[in-house]
């Protein structure tokens, strides 16, 4: 096992449901260390930049509209095997298919508005953390 970092975004649908506190507590309860945290409202261009890998997919436009609809909380999280463990905690992309007790099952709305983002690999996690946090902001 190795110490890893991953990027978490609490998405606008979770903010609208005022579920940020419960999601944050669950993240702490599962042993993640918060190494950086900020709340912001993404511009459309910032959302497009973050999800650039999905540009051209049928859901890209809807995804970027949604992600810039309201505030998000962005966190860099650290623990052993953080990428895999955080993906287990959030569950499948589609909340209907996510396991019981996962964050997307509990707080997600649908496949496009699924409450929480987690990086899908260590390489992606490094790029995603760097998208939001300068080196000096990471504990
Ligand atoms: P996320 O893990 O943040 O990364 C990409 C996002 O695209 C994903 O969560 C979903 O919210 C969204 N997404 C993936 N597949 C679909 C889909 N078929 N329809 C709508 N949105 C999708």
């Amino acid at each position: 096992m190795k110490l890893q970092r991953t990027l978490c975004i609490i998405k606008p649908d979770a903010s609208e449901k005022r579920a940020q506190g419960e999601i944050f507590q669950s993240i702490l309860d599962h042993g993640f260390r918060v190494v950086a945290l900020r709340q912001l409202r993404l511009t459309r261009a910032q959302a497009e930049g973050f999800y650039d890998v999905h540009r051209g997919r049928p859901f890209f436009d809807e995804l970027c509209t949604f992600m810039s609809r309201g505030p998000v909380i962005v966190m860099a999280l650290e623990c052993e095997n953080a990428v895999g463990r955080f993906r287990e905690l959030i569950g499948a992309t589609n909340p209907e298919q996510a396991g019981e007790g996962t964050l997307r099952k509990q707080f997600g709305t649908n496949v496009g508005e699924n409450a929480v983002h987690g990086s899908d690999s260590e390489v992606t996690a490094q790029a995603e953390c760097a998208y939001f946090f300068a080196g000096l902001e990471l504990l």
Side-chain angles (χ1 to χ4, degrees):
M1 286 286 179
K2 82 185 214 206
L3 201 59
Q4 249 182 1
R5 287 179 178 178
T6 192
L7 187 86
C8 162
I9 304 178
I10 301 178
K11 299 186 180 186
D13 61 324
S15 300
E16 287 158 8
K17 293 173 185 173
R18 304 180 71 81
Q20 307 100 311
E22 281 180 81
I23 292 171
F24 187 67
Q25 187 64 56
S26 179
I27 290 168
L28 295 180
D29 290 345
H30 283 81
F32 293 90
R33 194 169 78 94
V34 179
V35 292
L37 180 153
R38 62 192 285 214
Q39 178 171 251
L40 72 160
R41 182 167 179 170
L42 292 170
T43 64
R44 169 85 197 192
Q46 288 168 338
E48 287 186 13
F50 181 74
Y51 282 117
D52 194 54
V53 66
H54 296 300
R55 200 180 290 275
R57 301 235 182 136
F59 57 83
F60 180 74
D61 193 53
E62 193 183 348
L63 175 63
C64 295
T65 299
F66 161 61
M67 288 299 290
S68 53
R69 183 171 86 196
V72 296
I73 294 175
V74 186
M75 289 179 262
L77 303 174
E78 184 178 80
C79 68
E80 301 283 326
N81 191 23
V83 172
R85 282 181 55 192
F86 193 62
R87 287 179 73 77
E88 276 175 30
L89 176 58
I90 64 179
T93 304
N94 186 342
E96 283 178 19
Q97 289 157 13
E100 287 302 327
T102 62
L103 294 177
R104 284 170 169 167
K105 182 73 169 188
Q106 288 176 271
F107 303 107
T109 311
N110 55 50
V111 68
E113 302 191 7
N114 58 5
V116 185
H117 168 82
S119 308
D120 65 4
S121 72
E122 188 168 21
V123 171
T124 308
Q126 284 171 1
E128 290 184 349
C129 286
Y131 192 77
F132 287 105
F133 300 109
L136 289 176
E137 292 175 301
L138 296 159
L139 286 180

